[in-house]
């Protein structure tokens, strides 16, 4: 079996624009007074044609519009992109087409336009069910706007997910439990629940460095909130299938599973990443971060990529471990050995003996005990060169 077939094949489209920049965000997003959507359409369609020529014959399992705020895209632009995608690849019968949306850019007509174009799943950035915290997080919507937008989405699309951030300033464990229960009552089949992390280079990072980001929960309190999250979601029938993602059985994000199972995916747009296996060699591919540089590259060079990096078997094994141990199903030990070109053995490893990781039916996965220490566990499991 070809390596990319292990995890499927997906397409990521990056829309880099937002109405405003959130203070915690370290994604490649930009605020622009005007956007020439026609120019973006030409560039996206050109790149889709180019990448499809390299990956012809593959069945496309997923398309994901990320950002930025893709719900700022004209429905006509989304339709043009998906029409080109259908022309260029064979789509899986159960193809998943996701679009990220913010509550501030939701209108019933716009959502109907996305659905008509072929979008069948929406992921909403709600982030909090408290107005005061939404302001603190730099969000432009209120809780009532978020709930209204969620209702529109739920009545328009088959599948709807939304994001919340916890371990926020001044948040107690009981307040998080109450908020999470409210979120779980909103008839969803998928929730992404992220612990607030302070990233350098963001407005929150700058404030934190100056000692002005006060009342953040302690590490112990944040860890307790993580365990509350697991407990409440499990009870509601939406267990974790990845560190920060919870779903009813069958409602997992198929696109993100391609990443975590280390399948192949193409990335189009400024700051998009890709992993593509071409003629038996897996490549790491990225693109210029600047929207204008990316557009200019597509127009002038005929492609929007930085130079590709050929990944060695060792590189691939490390990436597969880093991605695959995030999901409950873990990784295939034989696949790691194949990539390394030698046996991947963890016999007599303290991580097994102390119950942080488990081995069953040829798979390796992190236990409940080990999940809060995931990053340290991955570091210890990475084989020496």
């Amino acid at each position: 079996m070809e390596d990319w077939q292990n995890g499927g094949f997906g397409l990521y489209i990056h829309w880099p624009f937002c109405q405003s920049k959130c203070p915690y965000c370290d994604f490649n997003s930009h605020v622009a007074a005007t956007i020439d959507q026609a120019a973006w359409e030409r560039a996206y369609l050109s790149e889709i044609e180019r990448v499809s020529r390299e990956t012809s014959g593959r069945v496309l399992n997923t398309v994901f519009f990320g950002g930025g705020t893709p719900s700022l895209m004209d429905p006509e632009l989304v339709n043009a992109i998906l029409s080109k995608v259908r022309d260029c690849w064979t789509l899986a019968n159960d193809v998943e087409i996701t679009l990220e949306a913010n509550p501030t850019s939701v209108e019933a007509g716009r959502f109907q336009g996305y659905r008509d174009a072929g979008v069948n799943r929406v992921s909403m950035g709600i982030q909090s069910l408290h107005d005061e915290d939404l302001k603190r997080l730099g969000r432009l919507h209120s809780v009532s706007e978020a709930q209204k937008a969620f209702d529109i989405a739920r009545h328009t699309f088959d599948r709807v997910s939304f994001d919340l951030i916890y371990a926020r300033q001044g948040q107690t464990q009981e307040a998080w439990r109450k908020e999470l229960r409210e979120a779980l009552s909103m008839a969803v089949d998928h929730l992404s629940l992220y612990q607030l992390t302070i990233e350098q280079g963001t407005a929150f990072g700058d404030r934190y460095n100056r000692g002005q980001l006060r009342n953040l929960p302690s590490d112990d309190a944040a860890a307790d909130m993580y365990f509350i999250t697991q407990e409440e979601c499990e009870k509601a029938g939406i267990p974790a299938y990845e560190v920060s993602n919870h779903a009813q059985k069958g409602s997992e994000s198929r696109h993100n599973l391609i990443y975590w199972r280390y399948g192949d995916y193409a990335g189009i747009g400024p700051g998009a990443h890709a992993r593509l296996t071409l003629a038996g060699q897996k490549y790491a591919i990225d693109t210029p971060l600047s929207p204008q540089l990316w557009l200019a590259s597509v127009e002038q060079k005929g492609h929007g990529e930085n130079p590709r990096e050929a990944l060695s078997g060792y590189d691939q094994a490390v990436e597969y471990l880093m991605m695959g141990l995030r999901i409950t199903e873990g990784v295939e030990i034989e696949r790691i050995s194949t990539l390394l070109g030698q046996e991947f053995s963890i016999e007599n490893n303290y991580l097994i003996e102390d119950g942080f990781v488990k081995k069953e039916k040829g798979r390796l996965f992190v236990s409940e005990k080990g999940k809060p220490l995931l990053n340290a566990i991955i570091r210890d499991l990475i084989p020496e060169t």
Side-chain angles (χ1 to χ4, degrees):
M1 183 182 283
E2 290 286 341
D3 192 42
W4 59 269
Q5 290 177 310
N6 282 298
F9 177 49
L11 170 66
Y12 175 78
I13 306 277
H14 190 80
W15 175 256
F17 301 109
C18 283
Q19 286 173 298
S20 67
K21 184 79 174 175
C22 296
Y24 57 85
C25 176
D26 69 338
F27 292 166
N28 186 37
S29 59
H30 305 262
V31 178
T34 58
I35 301 166
D36 183 351
Q37 300 220 13
W40 283 88
E41 178 178 325
R42 288 192 298 274
Y44 284 136
L45 301 191
S46 168
E47 284 292 86
I48 288 167
E49 284 189 358
R50 180 182 64 81
V51 174
S52 73
R53 286 194 293 271
E54 288 194 291
T55 56
S56 63
R58 298 193 193 186
V59 173
L60 189 65
N61 303 105
T62 64
V63 182
F64 194 102
F65 291 87
T69 306
S71 49
L72 293 175
M73 299 172 80
D74 290 340
E76 294 77 13
L77 173 54
V78 174
N79 184 59
I81 289 170
L82 291 177
S83 294
K84 179 62 73 174
V85 165
R86 283 187 283 269
D87 289 343
C88 288
W89 284 286
T90 299
L91 271 55
N93 291 335
D94 61 348
V95 66
E96 174 190 88
I97 302 176
T98 303
L99 184 135
E100 289 184 333
N102 273 351
T104 42
S105 54
V106 170
E107 302 162 18
R110 181 178 282 266
F111 264 27
Q112 189 61 50
Y114 296 143
R115 181 182 164 175
D116 292 345
V119 174
N120 54 23
R121 181 176 180 271
V122 162
S123 178
M124 300 196 70
I126 290 179
Q127 314 308 6
S128 171
L129 297 176
H130 291 287
D131 282 329
E132 192 178 318
D133 285 358
L134 285 172
K135 285 178 189 164
R136 218 180 259 141
L137 290 167
R139 308 299 284 171
L140 299 178
H141 63 271
S142 66
V143 173
S144 65
E145 284 173 320
Q147 288 169 333
K148 182 182 171 190
F150 174 75
D151 283 340
I152 292 170
R154 196 177 50 177
H155 289 103
T156 309
F157 299 98
D158 296 334
R159 299 171 61 200
V160 181
S161 174
F162 68 85
D163 301 358
L164 290 178
I165 294 173
Y166 65 92
R168 307 187 303 258
Q169 288 171 275
Q171 189 178 40
T172 65
Q173 292 161 48
E174 279 315 303
W176 171 236
R177 189 186 295 273
K178 185 180 174 190
E179 183 176 354
L180 181 54
R181 284 178 177 172
E182 186 182 349
L184 289 164
S185 74
M186 289 168 66
V188 294
D189 58 16
H190 190 288
L191 272 176
S192 298
L193 303 166
Y194 301 104
Q195 183 176 325
L196 178 64
T197 52
I198 309 304
E199 305 286 356
Q200 292 303 311
T202 65
F204 268 9
D206 294 343
R207 278 183 227 165
Y208 182 80
N209 294 341
R210 295 196 301 267
Q212 293 175 343
L213 203 63
R214 300 185 180 91
N215 298 325
L216 287 170
S218 67
D219 288 347
D220 285 346
D224 286 341
M225 288 184 205
Y226 168 81
F227 288 116
I228 287 168
T229 303
Q230 310 316 304
E231 178 193 332
E232 292 295 333
C233 289
E234 192 83 39
K235 213 165 23 175
I238 306 186
Y241 68 99
E242 189 267 350
V243 175
S244 303
N245 286 273
H246 303 252
Q248 291 176 359
K249 192 161 179 59
S251 295
E252 299 86 356
S253 165
R254 290 176 217 153
H255 184 81
N256 286 338
L257 279 171
I258 290 172
Y259 299 155
W260 297 319
R261 288 173 175 162
Y262 205 49
D264 263 24
Y265 54 96
I268 289 174
H273 288 255
R275 291 292 183 275
L276 284 179
T277 307
L278 304 168
Q281 171 64 58
K282 193 151 192 159
Y283 292 92
I285 304 169
D286 62 12
T287 62
L289 291 171
S290 157
Q292 295 314 314
L293 279 180
W294 181 80
L295 266 186
S297 178
V298 176
E299 288 169 0
Q300 293 163 19
K301 299 179 187 174
H303 68 82
E305 290 183 9
N306 293 324
R308 295 176 174 181
E309 178 193 353
L311 294 169
S312 68
Y314 175 82
D315 292 334
Q316 293 176 56
V318 169
E319 289 193 340
Y320 177 44
L321 267 173
M322 290 174 69
M323 300 303 286
L325 288 177
R326 295 185 62 85
I327 47 178
T328 308
E329 68 187 43
V331 295
E332 293 176 46
I333 295 170
E334 186 182 343
R335 187 178 176 195
I336 298 170
S337 299
T338 301
L339 290 169
L340 287 173
Q342 63 185 55
E343 187 186 358
F344 176 68
S345 174
I346 55 163
E347 304 307 322
N348 305 317
N349 188 302
Y350 83 95
L351 292 170
I352 291 270
E353 292 169 0
D354 293 346
F356 291 110
V357 298
K358 294 185 176 181
K359 204 170 77 163
E360 281 177 20
K361 297 177 181 174
R363 301 190 76 87
L364 183 71
F365 57 92
V366 178
S367 67
E368 289 304 313
K369 178 182 176 182
K371 280 179 182 174
L373 306 168
L374 178 66
N375 291 338
I377 287 169
I378 290 172
R379 278 197 301 273
D380 282 0
L381 281 174
I382 289 174
E384 295 180 7
T385 49

